[in-house]
Amino acid sequence: GNYDHLYQHALTHAFPTRLSSDLSDLSSILNMNQSAISHQLRILKDAKLVRYRREGKIIVYALDDEHIRTLLSVGMNHVEE
């Protein structure tokens, strides 16, 4: 689906280890270009899975709330069993 790539990478690798990340952080963590990540983040924002805030010129992204973090954690635990 539309979310497969980002679920497998950003949500399971970047966000659970950090409270928030900017586009540059995510690009480095995922070894992906910022344009591709930005596109996926727009989809996830529309789905209310991630939120963002502006810090000067930088936009910082985070999982929308603790419920999303818990769901991802439970899902990853299930996959790793």
Side-chain angles (χ1 to χ4, degrees), residues 17-29:
T17 61
R18 303 172 69 145
L19 292 177
S20 60
S21 299
D22 67 19
L23 200 53
S24 177
D25 287 343
L26 291 171
S27 180
S28 295
I29 292 166

Side-chain angles (χ1 to χ4, degrees), residues 2-54:
N2 289 338
Y3 305 119
D4 290 348
H5 187 67
L6 199 54
Y7 280 147
Q8 292 172 354
H9 294 288
L11 293 180
T12 59
H13 295 292
F15 286 120
T17 61
R18 303 172 69 145
L19 292 177
S20 60
S21 299
D22 67 19
L23 200 53
S24 177
D25 287 343
L26 291 171
S27 180
S28 295
I29 292 166
L30 301 172
N31 195 27
M32 292 174 57
N33 71 53
Q34 291 186 7
S35 177
I37 294 168
S38 181
H39 173 73
Q40 295 294 329
L41 286 169
R42 273 194 303 277
I43 293 169
L44 293 171
K45 283 189 309 189
D46 290 346
K48 299 182 181 177
L49 295 175
V50 298
R51 58 182 156 75
Y52 69 96
R53 69 181 184 282
R54 193 173 283 280

